[in-house]
Amino acid sequence: MVFQTQQAVRAAILLFFTVLIFKFHYTGEITKFINPKYIGLSQIASVLFLILFFIQITRIWEKKTHHHHHDHECSHNHDCDHNHDHGNTPMTLKKVISYVIIAFPLVTGFTIPAKVLDSSIAEKKGGMAVITGKSEKPSPSTDESANEEVAQPSDTEVLPNPYGEITQEEMNSLVQKLKQSDPIDMDDYVYYLNYEEISKDVASFKGKEITLKGFVYKEDGFQSDQLVISRFLITHCVADASIIGFLTQFEEAATLEKDTWVEATGILDVTTYNGTEMPFIKITDWKTIEQPSEPYLFPLNVRIL
Amino acid sequence: MNRIVRTNLFDITGLILLAAAFLLLSLKLDVGDVLPSSFLNLNTIFLSILIEAFPFVLIGVLIAGVIQIFVTEEHIQRWIPQSRTKAIIMSCIVGALFPACECGIVPIVRRLVAKGVPLYAAIGFMLTGPLINPIVIASTYMAFGNNAAIAGWRMGLGFAVALIVAFLVSFFFRGHQFKEALVSTQTLSASRKKEPFTKRFFSMLTHSIDEFFDMAKFLIFGAFLAAAVQTYMPAKSLLEAGDGPFSSIAVMMGLAYVLSLCSEADAFIGSSFNSIFPTPSVLAFLIFGPMIDLKNTLMMLSVFRAKFVFSVLFFVATTVFLSIVLVQSFL
């Protein structure tokens, strides 16, 4: 029985990945990384790592000391057209480096807490250019969905089924509900849907009262009484976060620091920013709030088939 | 005493490792305060890419293990058409039907090539696998305001690009193009077939583990680079660079490459650029990203010769660019 250091290192890495993913799920930190819709998938990964770990521990103690090389003849029970590293060859500096690279996310994962993305990332992701970009082109599907809605009773309550799929009708009735409501409440569940609808046709929402929350984002070129109340939309994981938000105006805006979370109420209006028409909120009432436990928004999943 | 230790060696090692894991869990290590917040952002994005990629990578290496152990060269020779054209078309269709993600596809492609699948067919499969599948179609459809046009163009044009690149590869490259270190001259021994199923299943799993460790360092390094780009490179400077119709296509392709997004998730990012850039450029982003990106290039470099990887990158980039230029008047 000979102890195979490399196999042991591999077993440890597999186990620690299992534990790391388990930890993120257990502490709830996982929603700071991925859309909750994919939680099941990531749990599968954790289980697969665990299974591979159990397979791997059987390789830590090899019966004989054969270091088999790649041009070795096919005498033992290993597969023969192996053209990759089995982890039995001696440790070299190159291998040490690759294990260090593989262990790196384990070290940072266990020691550095997950951070909620802040306005500096919003800026790197294009900031206002992306926010204004959203409102320029009306989508061709607007009219079509408006027609369907007439037949739909508008008061159909859609059961908020976070992370689940909704049907096209349910979505249409959500849109319809938005069009009839005043004041508009930008609830997290429908935030992105409402945001898209309002951006598509700002004029028809002009004058309505709106309540929303988000973090403060500012950019060069804003007037001192302007700021964006913004959110991140996560499709799959925070790497694909995109910034959305409303340009707002109120006197005390200058006193608010970037990344402060606020809840605000105001009147929707239209403005032009860098030549683009976009929604704009004149804030009437606001307060700072704690960062919500679920700071990110997730798009609704509409069933297509 | 000695014998007891020896017979229970596996359990003991396992227990020691488990104990270490629980120790890690219970420790409240926290060095978050001493690090700059930009690094915390970077780390979060880095880990999220990995958490997102792991299920697909693990499924990918398991499939690679299955191919390694249960598929023989004779099977491959029977399945793949002899004619090059037919083989390429078939591989692209199989890729389109196969719901893969770009993180998981490299190990599968490697195993296929090792088993004697012609390189061009494997590349065709690699390019259509992540791009054309139900999840990608659905997310693209939704991200562009329930408009089927973009999703349709993405699939159609993507398929054409994959065919062209596969043909280019078949003209310019022979053999498997594996890195020197990975070249093996042996073929599957006949004895393997006689082994009992459980043994083969076990070696399938150990192969999957080895495959995972081959890929993981490249995946992790690529994820870190992609996260660093997101944290430190302002998109604004890129946006300003993409003023003209041609440069905007190039810029969006560059963005798709460095962001290394999952093909199932890039549609919403693409749509957020829809009004800053003309639609053809966004389409270029949507087609190029799933086919090849920073993370994927690194994973390919772990398997294939650098010259081959960069040639494929060049073929894909030029084909996507030119085909977008050609069709942009229809968009």
Side-chain angles (χ1 to χ4, degrees):
Chain A
M1 288 292 201
V2 173
F3 183 73
Q4 303 278 343
T5 322
Q6 266 193 79
Q7 303 291 13
V9 170
R10 288 179 171 206
I13 288 173
L14 290 171
L15 177 64
F16 291 157
F17 271 123
T18 311
V19 176
L20 183 66
I21 299 175
F22 175 79
K23 182 196 131 184
F24 287 149
H25 283 279
Y26 183 74
T27 59
E29 262 187 304
I30 193 77
T31 58
K32 289 182 182 172
F33 293 108
I34 57 168
N35 185 334
K37 192 178 138 197
Y38 294 97
I39 276 183
L41 205 56
S42 134
Q43 282 164 343
I44 291 174
S46 182
V47 172
L48 287 177
F49 271 126
L50 190 64
I51 294 170
L52 293 183
F53 162 72
F54 283 127
I55 302 295
Q56 180 65 22
I57 44 173
T58 63
R59 303 166 88 191
I60 296 176
W61 298 91
E62 285 266 301
K63 288 203 179 79
K64 276 178 228 151
T65 55
H66 62 248
H67 285 307
H68 59 86
H69 293 288
H70 289 152
D71 48 358
H72 193 266
E73 73 282 352
C74 306
S75 57
H76 53 80
N77 60 3
H78 273 278
D79 187 51
C80 287
D81 62 343
H82 49 235
N83 46 10
H84 59 180
D85 181 16
H86 280 300
N88 289 349
T89 43
M91 267 297 207
T92 56
L93 180 66
K94 211 175 147 194
K95 284 197 188 148
V96 173
I97 292 171
S98 51
Y99 286 120
V100 168
I101 292 174
I102 296 173
F104 179 71
L106 291 170
V107 175
T108 64
F110 278 113
T111 56
I112 304 176
K115 185 174 185 305
V116 173
L117 299 186
D118 60 22
S119 58
S120 72
I121 293 290
E123 195 196 330
K124 295 290 186 296
K125 291 211 175 243
M128 274 310 273
V130 171
I131 294 173
T132 52
K134 204 73 205 171
S135 3
E136 220 170 350
K137 286 185 206 156
S139 160
S141 69
T142 327
D143 290 345
E144 183 191 312
S145 56
N147 290 338
E148 282 169 30
E149 281 145 24
V150 182
Q152 277 287 324
S154 62
D155 54 357
T156 326
E157 268 300 317
V158 176
L159 288 174
N161 168 22
Y163 329 131
E165 285 187 331
I166 63 168
T167 62
Q168 190 76 44
E169 288 89 60
E170 284 170 324
M171 196 186 80
N172 288 339
S173 72
L174 282 173
V175 173
Q176 187 65 13
K177 200 175 146 203
L178 164 74
K179 287 185 175 162
Q180 290 175 348
S181 56
D182 184 11
I184 299 165
D185 181 26
M186 296 294 272
D187 179 62
D188 279 3
Y189 180 64
V190 289
Y191 192 110
Y192 183 63
L193 182 78
N194 290 357
Y195 175 75
E196 278 214 305
E197 289 300 319
I198 294 170
S199 303
K200 268 186 218 163
D201 186 14
V202 200
S204 72
F205 290 95
K206 196 175 162 179
K208 287 192 176 186
E209 194 179 79
I210 183 169
T211 305
L212 75 166
K213 58 188 175 197
F215 64 88
V216 173
Y217 174 70
K218 290 180 186 176
E219 210 173 273
D220 293 344
F222 280 12
Q223 282 152 28
S224 64
D225 61 348
Q226 286 181 331
L227 57 80
V228 171
I229 298 183
S230 49
R231 301 291 295 265
F232 279 111
L233 178 79
I234 310 284
T235 316
H236 201 151
C237 72
V238 296
D240 60 53
S242 66
I243 179 169
I244 58 179
F246 289 92
L247 185 65
T248 64
Q249 184 184 43
F250 54 104
E251 258 173 48
E252 305 90 330
T255 63
L256 281 173
E257 290 284 323
K258 275 185 185 180
D259 296 320
T260 319
W261 278 80
V262 293
E263 186 168 357
T265 305
I267 306 296
L268 265 167
D269 201 347
V270 185
T271 188
T272 36
Y273 184 88
N274 286 348
T276 314
E277 267 203 358
M278 63 179 294
F280 167 74
I281 304 173
K282 277 201 183 104
I283 300 295
T284 50
D285 187 28
W286 67 276
K287 62 172 193 268
T288 59
I289 53 169
E290 286 278 302
Q291 174 175 297
S293 56
E294 272 201 16
Y296 299 127
L297 297 172
F298 311 103
L300 285 173
N301 306 299
V302 178
R303 201 178 302 138
I304 296 175
L305 300 171
Chain B
M1 178 62 197
N2 216 349
R3 221 179 61 200
I4 296 170
V5 170
R6 201 172 293 170
T7 48
N8 295 307
L9 223 46
F10 295 145
D11 310 319
I12 294 166
T13 341
L15 276 177
I16 291 171
L17 281 173
L18 275 173
F22 278 112
L23 190 71
L24 255 180
L25 261 187
S26 60
L27 283 180
K28 280 265 180 291
L29 295 165
D30 194 342
V31 295
D33 297 338
V34 297
L35 291 161
S37 86
S38 67
F39 186 80
L40 298 185
N41 281 330
L42 191 161
N43 183 52
T44 308
I45 296 174
F46 167 56
L47 290 175
S48 89
I49 296 177
L50 289 181
I51 291 172
E52 178 202 37
F54 276 148
F56 298 101
V57 173
L58 289 172
I59 292 166
V61 298
L62 284 172
I63 294 174
V66 169
I67 294 172
Q68 172 71 9
I69 304 298
F70 295 103
V71 179
T72 63
E73 273 91 347
E74 297 90 76
H75 289 145
I76 299 282
Q77 265 157 17
R78 226 176 307 145
W79 293 335
I80 300 269
Q82 288 302 311
S83 132
R84 179 168 66 186
T85 315
K86 276 188 196 158
I88 289 176
I89 293 172
M90 191 189 103
S91 70
C92 288
I93 293 172
V94 171
L97 298 174
F98 188 76
C101 181
E102 77 260 34
C103 327
I105 203 149
V106 176
I108 301 176
V109 164
R110 170 187 181 173
R111 277 302 132 216
L112 287 174
V113 175
K115 286 286 174 183
V117 171
L119 188 63
Y120 46 84
I123 293 297
F125 172 79
M126 188 187 87
L127 296 180
T128 52
L131 177 65
I132 308 178
N133 70 51
I135 308 167
V136 177
I137 296 174
S139 72
T140 315
Y141 176 78
M142 274 185 289
F144 288 88
N146 293 354
N147 179 355
I150 297 279
W153 275 107
R154 185 179 191 188
M155 303 306 139
L157 209 55
F159 193 80
V161 168
L163 284 177
I164 294 167
V165 173
F167 272 110
L168 285 173
V169 167
S170 77
F171 285 127
F172 288 99
F173 290 97
R174 296 268 173 273
H176 49 54
Q177 297 294 323
F178 283 147
K179 287 202 300 193
E180 300 282 318
L182 298 174
V183 174
S184 96
T185 48
Q186 282 134 352
T187 50
L188 186 71
S189 60
S191 63
R192 154 123 355 261
K193 277 187 183 168
K194 292 173 201 129
E195 280 175 12
F197 178 81
T198 45
K199 200 163 180 187
R200 292 169 74 184
F201 189 75
F202 185 80
S203 52
M204 178 213 106
L205 289 172
T206 55
H207 262 283
S208 301
I209 294 170
D210 296 334
E211 196 88 53
F212 174 77
F213 279 93
D214 280 351
M215 288 293 153
K217 51 183 181 288
F218 292 94
L219 169 74
I220 289 166
F221 192 61
F224 189 81
L225 275 185
V229 166
Q230 288 210 13
T231 326
Y232 295 110
M233 187 198 71
K236 214 194 240 170
S237 55
L238 253 184
L239 304 186
E240 279 157 6
D243 245 358
F246 293 112
S247 59
S248 73
I249 298 176
V251 162
M252 284 306 277
M253 283 169 63
L255 200 64
Y257 185 78
V258 293
L259 289 183
S260 300
L261 299 171
C262 193
S263 60
E264 274 117 45
D266 61 358
F268 282 91
I269 290 279
S271 77
S272 75
F273 287 108
N274 200 14
S275 326
I276 310 170
F277 287 123
T279 310
S281 318
V282 176
L283 194 60
F285 173 92
L286 293 175
I287 295 174
F288 189 57
M291 289 189 164
I292 199 160
D293 58 32
L294 185 60
K295 191 173 65 182
N296 210 357
T297 308
L298 280 167
M299 288 171 81
M300 278 176 74
L301 281 171
S302 76
V303 181
F304 297 108
R305 288 184 197 142
K307 192 183 155 210
F308 174 71
V309 176
F310 290 114
S311 303
V312 171
L313 177 60
F314 176 75
F315 292 157
V316 177
T318 27
T319 316
V320 171
F321 186 86
L322 292 178
S323 59
I324 293 284
V325 170
L326 271 178
V327 302
Q328 66 180 345
S329 49
F330 300 107
L331 289 162

